[in-house]
Amino acid sequence: MNPILFGSRERPLFGVVSPACGQRRMRGIVICGPIGEEYQRAHRALRVLAQFLARDGHDVLRFDYFGTGDSAGEGFEMDMGGAVADAVSAVEEIGDVAAVTRCTLVGLRAGAAIAAQAANRVHQVDRVVLWDPVTDGEEYAASMLADATPLPGNHGGGLNVRGFLFSRGLIEEIARIDVSTYTLASPEVLIVISEDRPRHHELARHLSDRGRNVSFFVHEGPRSWTEMGWSGVGAIPAPLLEQVVTWHR
Amino acid sequence: MASLGTFTERPVLFGRYRSLVGVVTSPAEDGDVGDPSCVFINSGIIHRVGPNRIYVRMARALAARGFTCLRFDLAGIGDSLVDPDAPGSDPQELMDWDTADALDFLAQGDQGQTFILLGICSGANQALRMAAADDRVVGAVMIDPDTYQTPGTYVRHYWRRVRDVTDWPGIIARRVGKWGSRLPGDPRPPRFLRATLLPAKAEMERTLDSLVERGVRLCYVFSNRELYYNFDDQFFREFPSMRHRPGVSVKYYGDADHTFSAPLVQERLVEMLLRWTTEEFDADSVEATSDAIEIGS
């Protein structure tokens, strides 16, 4: 594992590269995490996914959006446009670091919406994995707002959502996420689900109707993005992670 | 390396197996760098950014004040791997090795010869343990470590519960029978997490005494943890011999939760941390503190 800094001088981003082991498949994989407390919880599962994929011959980059994790900036400085640009930058970075021209974007929860939008902006991305994608942004934003407390103007005028800072603008952008957000140019799509909802099936139909080759995998069980006990972190859904690896073979 | 105005950051890979991942946050101007350096230890199994990213905020504020900081993941947590060749399997032993590796890494890179260890919850316990074991440690900031209750802790806890009628159904359900299930809103954690690894109180007192004699500065910080710590003077009631000892500081945040999740409370905590480090370790002036830590500045 190689921790790196990449991105621009104004927008330095932290990432971790897991180089391919054994026979290289010459494919880069960029993982877009969820946001807020869901990212804190899912960090462990995302690391394990990166290890699985690297062991199977892929070069993998996980990264923190600007304003999150180890990257520069404050939470309320994050917005969807910036996060999509960060994901694009990550695709370019893994291309440079691993000398690969084909790339998969994997996105978990809100990270799936970010991955989908980034995929449409870089031609190297020919595969997308949507992992428990947020498909009802209004409901998701409402759940955030239910626990939100406003912060004073000198704190960016944002909101404290269960310990994490968000701008009101970002929450409004999240509220606009729906099935149409995932209108992908990439021909190959895998949807992996640990919480089966009708909207996920609707998403699969939406993509299939537009000629995408969609694989759909459900494994209901412990989720990576909800808290396990009082540990502050989520579970590692191994069958689901293995499915992501298998789909790439 | 990323230059972020008042501090710079660089990711690092270190340890005897080069399997530990961390981020070094340094003062922007080389001239400001000096001892001690600060090392943050994981809170439970949350990765090195800390609960609600509070370690990031603390490290950046401290670096802006002249302290080099290392946030890192112990083996098996966050991005750090457990090296299969590492001898032994005792988790505590591995944690001790990794923490010592973190200090060695900074020392070998001329980034400090003495250290302040900081941690929340299990990270606080580990900070105290390593402070006692390693003479290079000159300070420890322990946020919500495991602690000992006094009779006053129980009195306050149960009096609050009796006063709060919304708690009654939960209390009755548990008292009526073991079958009484947890009701929504009952904050009681699962039993396995209530287990404590605290040494006997007399042993802890000896440890604290030896640290104070060695000149180690101890900063205890407690949130309102109901059954565990719930009033301002609890620490000194637990350890009366520590009262008025030099270098022992205790702060109680009655309005804070265990992970200091409210940003405004986090801000007060960081401000206190800066004041404590500058007072105890003679770094830059405390006057400019609020500019450096204001969220969004």
Side-chain angles (χ1 to χ4, degrees):
Chain A
M1 248 179 240
N2 301 321
I4 59 166
L5 282 177
F6 66 100
S8 65
R9 188 179 175 81
E10 296 73 33
R11 204 174 168 87
L13 303 172
F14 176 88
V16 178
V17 175
S18 302
C21 305
Q23 177 98 28
R24 288 189 70 206
R25 293 178 187 269
M26 299 309 292
R27 171 176 290 278
I29 298 183
V30 169
I31 299 178
C32 300
I35 56 175
E37 63 180 348
E38 290 188 354
Y39 179 51
Q40 177 176 299
R41 294 167 179 170
H43 183 274
R44 210 162 68 110
L46 297 179
R47 188 252 285 171
V48 173
L49 174 61
Q51 282 178 283
F52 281 11
L53 289 164
R55 278 183 205 150
D56 211 50
H58 303 289
D59 293 280
V60 187
L61 171 59
R62 288 175 290 128
F63 72 100
D64 295 337
Y65 309 113
F66 186 78
T68 74
D70 288 305
S71 288
E74 286 289 352
F76 55 74
E77 294 179 279
M78 183 190 180
D79 58 32
M80 286 298 270
V84 170
D86 294 344
V88 169
S89 179
V91 171
E92 289 163 354
E93 183 67 19
I94 195 67
D96 290 346
V97 168
V100 290
T101 53
R102 292 178 306 152
C103 188
T104 300
L105 269 164
V106 179
L108 171 61
R109 301 285 290 154
I114 293 165
Q117 291 175 57
N120 290 344
R121 284 179 41 184
V122 264
H123 65 87
Q124 296 98 317
V125 178
D126 59 354
R127 291 183 179 185
V128 176
V129 177
L130 306 173
W131 175 1
D132 282 309
V134 172
T135 45
D136 188 341
E138 248 178 74
E139 181 190 88
Y140 187 72
S143 74
M144 294 172 81
L145 289 170
D147 286 331
T149 51
L151 294 166
N154 63 341
H155 292 74
L159 296 165
N160 166 28
V161 181
R162 297 185 281 272
F164 290 85
L165 306 180
F166 287 92
S167 69
R168 290 173 194 275
L170 176 59
I171 294 178
E172 285 165 14
E173 286 177 303
I174 288 169
R176 289 196 287 272
I177 296 173
D178 61 15
V179 167
S180 68
T181 305
Y182 301 90
T183 303
L184 289 163
S186 314
E188 302 284 336
V189 182
L190 170 65
I191 301 173
V192 284
I193 301 296
S194 57
E195 184 188 41
D196 200 7
R197 309 182 81 179
R199 284 275 185 128
H200 293 140
H201 295 270
E202 189 186 327
L203 172 60
R205 281 195 301 277
H206 171 80
L207 291 167
S208 294
D209 291 348
R210 282 156 183 78
R212 306 294 167 257
N213 186 10
V214 180
S215 303
F216 195 87
F217 179 79
V218 181
H219 178 82
E220 293 228 48
R223 293 162 204 153
S224 58
W225 38 273
T226 56
E227 190 172 11
M228 193 176 58
W230 284 58
S231 64
V233 302
I236 298 174
L240 204 145
L241 306 186
E242 281 160 7
Q243 183 64 29
V244 177
V245 175
T246 307
W247 182 71
H248 276 94
R249 284 181 186 152
Chain B
M1 181 184 290
S3 175
L4 301 159
T6 50
F7 58 87
T8 61
E9 284 190 325
R10 67 188 172 96
V12 293
L13 197 59
F14 67 96
R16 60 197 79 187
Y17 305 109
R18 283 186 60 77
S19 57
L20 303 179
V21 174
V23 174
V24 175
T25 310
S26 308
E29 294 174 29
D30 291 344
D32 288 337
V33 179
D35 277 338
S37 294
C38 303
V39 176
F40 290 77
I41 304 171
N42 294 107
S43 169
I45 54 175
I46 295 172
H47 78 290
R48 66 192 166 273
V49 301
N52 312 305
R53 212 177 171 226
I54 193 170
Y55 285 1
V56 175
R57 185 162 297 135
M58 285 176 166
R60 290 175 179 176
L62 283 165
R65 281 285 145 267
F67 295 94
T68 296
C69 297
L70 169 63
R71 299 178 286 106
F72 79 106
D73 290 323
L74 297 161
I77 299 174
D79 293 308
S80 294
L81 303 177
V82 179
D83 194 286
D85 297 329
S89 57
D90 175 24
Q92 182 60 63
E93 204 176 347
L94 288 171
M95 282 169 67
D96 293 349
W97 284 341
D98 292 346
T99 314
D101 277 358
L103 307 192
D104 292 345
F105 169 73
L106 288 174
Q108 286 158 13
D110 289 332
Q111 293 171 102
Q113 297 302 319
T114 59
F115 304 97
I116 302 170
L117 301 181
L118 306 92
I120 297 178
C121 194
S122 65
N125 297 340
Q126 179 66 5
L128 181 70
R129 183 181 163 87
M130 284 305 289
D134 195 318
D135 286 347
R136 295 174 296 177
V137 179
V138 295
V141 178
M142 295 159 286
I143 303 169
D144 271 354
D146 283 338
T147 189
Y148 305 84
Q149 290 95 334
T150 67
T153 318
Y154 293 108
V155 168
R156 284 170 177 80
H157 172 69
Y158 288 110
W159 173 238
R160 277 180 199 148
R161 298 205 74 174
V162 168
R163 260 189 339 191
D164 185 355
V165 291
T166 59
D167 255 4
W168 287 11
I171 294 168
I172 292 164
R174 277 197 300 277
R175 292 295 169 266
V176 164
K178 294 287 183 191
W179 46 267
S181 59
R182 284 182 71 219
L183 297 180
D186 185 345
R188 202 172 166 86
R191 187 168 293 278
F192 77 94
L193 285 177
R194 281 183 272 143
T196 177
L197 299 172
L198 274 175
K201 200 167 163 184
E203 188 186 331
M204 176 64 87
E205 191 151 20
R206 281 195 296 277
T207 300
L208 294 176
D209 191 60
S210 70
L211 286 168
V212 171
E213 287 300 312
R214 212 177 84 203
V216 178
R217 308 293 201 273
L218 302 175
C219 178
Y220 275 97
V221 180
F222 294 100
S223 66
N224 187 347
R225 294 187 70 199
E226 268 306 313
L227 188 52
Y228 303 97
Y229 199 103
N230 62 23
F231 66 102
D232 202 4
D233 203 38
Q234 184 175 323
F235 178 84
F236 290 120
R237 298 279 178 92
E238 293 166 8
F239 300 107
S241 66
M242 289 294 118
R243 201 187 290 275
H244 308 308
R245 296 289 293 274
V248 179
S249 164
V250 180
K251 309 284 179 193
Y252 174 61
Y253 291 79
D255 57 348
D257 58 32
H258 183 43
T259 57
F260 286 77
S261 61
L264 297 180
V265 180
Q266 278 191 15
E267 189 168 296
R268 278 165 38 217
L269 175 65
V270 176
E271 209 164 317
M272 183 283 295
L273 175 66
L274 291 177
R275 191 169 299 114
W276 179 81
T277 44
T278 46
E279 283 172 3
E280 296 291 346
F281 299 99
D282 195 31
D284 291 353
S285 152
V286 188
E287 299 304 319
T289 290
S290 56
D291 289 342
I293 57 142
E294 188 173 286
I295 300 170
S297 63

